[in-house]
């Protein structure tokens, strides 16, 4: 679904489910192989795939990590991380090319989400990052898919075992406590899959938001000038980036629980799988006009669905916005002469129809 009004309608339609175990005949019938690149996206049992009361139960547990107070309290840590990264970048020699995705967009969100959930071991953090990168690699071959699946649960199991032995002041320990105080509230599989969801979604989307915002401003100096002059704000940059280049391009999967008429003679049949195309919806010309493809920080209507809509709206959206609100102005203030080190035509997208960013974002920081 690619038009924003229709997608918005389907995201709130009670006849649309995210639970393949109840509502996708191909999954229920065993037709989906574990070697399928999207297998993990469908197989997980957490609030991402839950439906109805199960979704409410799982979301309520995770919501404790993303309250307004807890999110706001993270600002000093985000500012400190940003300052450290900028100091490291400032040490690069004039003419040295820096990959801003790897050295700036990645470290901030992955460090924040890992600290929030108590992933303190650098090796574990890097291992999980590698697994998440592979899960988003939607053209992975069968060997990579099956190896990543096994490795992911090995690492998550190690995290849970460590926290059971030595609980901390982190959300992983809170979830384990909920599991062990009342096993009916959170199964062991739901515990592991919930950790996978928050750690992966908690950094991948923000990495792409930062990557895409930096790219947009470096390739559109007129838009950067508007921000520097005060004609537009950094919040404008963030929201226009989310609209123009959604961090998640397309998200699998939802399923029709009964026949749904969607107009123009088209019917979604019961059991049909639905792919939500957020990137396309953000550039819907019916909503954003003939210039929907243009990046415009002064655009009056920046309405988008980059964080979803309805009961599955992303709990981490305020945290992603906060990280961007700190990291973006700090980067451009520190390096006012920064520019891309290659032609825009040389940039390559990540190999995914889900994750929407660049493989690398090479830049010269000193002009």
């Amino acid at each position: 679904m690619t038009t924003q009004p229709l997608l918005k309608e389907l995201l709130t339609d009670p006849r649309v489910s995210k639970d393949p175990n109840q509502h996708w005949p191909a999954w229920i019938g065993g037709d989906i192989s574990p070697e399928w690149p999207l297998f993990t996206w469908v197989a997980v049992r957490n609030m991402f795939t839950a439906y109805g009361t199960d979704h409410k139960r799982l979301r309520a547990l995770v919501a404790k990590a993303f309250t307004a107070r807890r999110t706001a309290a993270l600002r000093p840590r985000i500012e400190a991380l940003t300052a450290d990264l900028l100091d490291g970048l400032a040490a690069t020699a004039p003419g040295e090319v820096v990959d801003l995705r790897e050295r700036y967009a990645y470290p901030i969100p992955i460090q924040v989400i890992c600290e929030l959930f108590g992933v303190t071991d650098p090796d574990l953090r890097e291992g999980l990052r590698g697994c998440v990168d592979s899960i988003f690699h939607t053209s992975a071959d069968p060997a990579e898919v099956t190896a990543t699946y096994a490795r992911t649960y090995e690492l998550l199991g190690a995290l849970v075992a460590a926290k059971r032995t030595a609980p901390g002041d982190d959300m992983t320990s809170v979830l384990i406590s909920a599991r062990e105080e009342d096993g009916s509230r959170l199964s062991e599989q739901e515990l592991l899959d919930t950790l996978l969801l928050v750690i992966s979604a908690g950094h991948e989307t923000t990495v792409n938001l930062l990557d895409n915002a930096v790219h947009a401003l470096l390739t559109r100096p007129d838009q950067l000038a508007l921000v520097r002059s005060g004609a537009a704000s950094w919040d404008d940059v963030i929201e226009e980036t989310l609209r123009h280049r959604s961090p998640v391009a397309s998200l699998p999967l939802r399923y029709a629980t009964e026949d749904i008429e969607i107009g123009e003679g088209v019917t979604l049949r019961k059991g049909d799988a639905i792919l939500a195309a957020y990137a396309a919806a953000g550039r819907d010309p019916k909503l954003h006009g003939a210039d929907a493809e243009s990046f415009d920080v002064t655009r009056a209507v920046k309405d988008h669905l980059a964080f979803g809509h309805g009961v599955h709206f992303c709990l981490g959206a305020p945290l992603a916005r906060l990280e961007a609100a700190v990291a973006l102005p700090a980067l451009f203030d520190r390096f006012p002469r920064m520019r891309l080190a290659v032609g825009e035509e040389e940039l390559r997208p990540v190999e995914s129809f889900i994750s929407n960013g660049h493989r690398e974002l090479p830049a010269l920081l000193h002009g």
Side-chain angles (χ1 to χ4, degrees):
M1 299 296 106
T2 60
T3 62
Q4 186 154 314
L6 175 58
L7 180 54
K8 204 169 187 178
E9 182 179 331
L10 288 173
L11 292 177
T12 55
D13 194 317
R15 298 169 297 174
V16 175
S17 167
K18 293 197 77 177
D19 188 352
N21 298 288
Q22 295 186 63
H23 302 121
W24 193 21
W27 181 262
I28 296 167
D31 300 328
I32 307 301
S33 165
E35 298 179 341
W36 184 45
L38 300 183
F39 182 82
T40 303
W41 291 89
V42 178
V44 290
R45 290 180 176 269
N46 53 35
M47 64 181 181
F48 180 77
T49 55
Y51 178 69
T53 56
D54 276 341
H55 176 261
K56 292 178 182 178
R57 171 177 60 88
L58 293 167
R59 187 177 176 95
L61 290 168
V62 179
K64 297 174 184 177
F66 297 102
T67 62
R69 177 181 295 180
R70 185 182 283 266
T71 299
L74 290 170
R75 176 180 279 273
R77 181 60 181 140
I78 296 168
E79 291 174 341
L81 283 170
T82 298
D84 286 345
L85 289 169
L86 291 174
D87 287 345
L89 292 175
T92 59
E96 181 180 345
V97 176
V98 173
D99 180 0
L100 287 177
R101 181 178 175 90
E102 178 64 26
R103 293 189 57 184
Y104 195 69
Y106 242 120
I108 297 169
I110 196 169
Q111 184 69 26
V112 169
I113 201 68
C114 282
E115 289 182 8
L116 190 59
F117 280 81
V119 185
T120 56
D121 183 337
D123 291 337
L124 178 57
R125 185 172 62 243
E126 286 305 303
L128 286 171
R129 172 189 163 172
C131 287
V132 170
D133 286 348
S134 182
I135 290 169
F136 277 90
H137 180 203
T138 53
S139 58
D141 61 35
E144 179 182 343
V145 172
T146 54
T148 296
Y149 190 81
R151 180 62 174 157
T152 298
Y153 287 100
E154 177 187 346
L155 293 172
L156 291 172
L159 172 62
V160 170
K163 292 299 177 181
R164 281 196 168 114
T165 301
D169 183 20
D170 56 73
M171 280 305 300
T172 298
S173 298
V174 170
L175 291 172
I176 291 171
S177 176
R179 158 77 177 137
E180 296 183 347
E181 288 175 7
D182 181 358
S184 65
R185 293 182 63 199
L186 194 67
S187 72
E188 191 71 12
Q189 190 64 47
E190 287 172 337
L191 170 61
L192 295 173
D193 287 345
T194 294
L195 291 171
L196 174 58
L197 173 63
V198 294
I199 291 171
S200 58
H203 81 263
E204 181 71 19
T205 52
T206 310
V207 171
N208 289 338
L209 169 56
L210 296 175
D211 169 357
N212 291 331
V214 172
H215 169 263
L217 293 179
L218 291 182
T219 55
R220 299 166 179 84
D222 59 318
Q223 298 297 299
L224 179 57
L226 289 169
V227 179
R228 285 179 165 155
S229 71
S233 69
W234 285 104
D235 284 344
D236 290 327
V237 172
I238 293 166
E239 297 309 310
E240 178 65 352
T241 302
L242 290 166
R243 180 205 70 82
H244 182 260
R245 193 176 172 101
S246 172
V248 172
S250 303
L251 197 63
L253 283 170
R254 285 172 164 81
Y255 319 95
T257 64
E258 58 184 84
D259 288 358
I260 304 173
E261 301 283 346
I262 60 174
E264 299 183 2
V266 178
T267 300
L268 294 175
R269 297 299 178 187
K270 180 179 179 179
D272 280 354
I274 302 167
L275 184 69
Y278 294 114
R283 299 189 184 191
D284 185 353
K286 292 181 180 178
L287 180 65
H288 297 293
D291 68 341
E293 294 285 332
S294 300
F295 182 88
D296 180 4
V297 292
T298 65
R299 186 182 300 276
V301 177
K302 298 185 181 70
D303 189 25
H304 60 79
L305 300 176
F307 293 118
H309 182 66
V311 297
H312 284 277
F313 183 83
C314 178
L315 281 170
L319 177 57
R321 286 184 166 113
L322 174 60
E323 289 172 339
V326 171
L328 291 173
L331 177 67
F332 282 89
D333 286 349
R334 187 69 171 268
F335 304 109
R337 297 168 57 208
M338 178 174 56
R339 61 183 175 85
L340 280 182
V342 299
E344 187 172 3
E345 69 282 356
E346 297 180 58
L347 298 175
R348 296 291 180 266
V350 293
E351 294 179 316
S352 176
F353 71 80
I354 299 174
S355 184
N356 193 16
H358 302 92
R359 293 188 202 175
E360 301 93 18
L361 194 61
L364 294 167
L365 302 179
H366 306 288

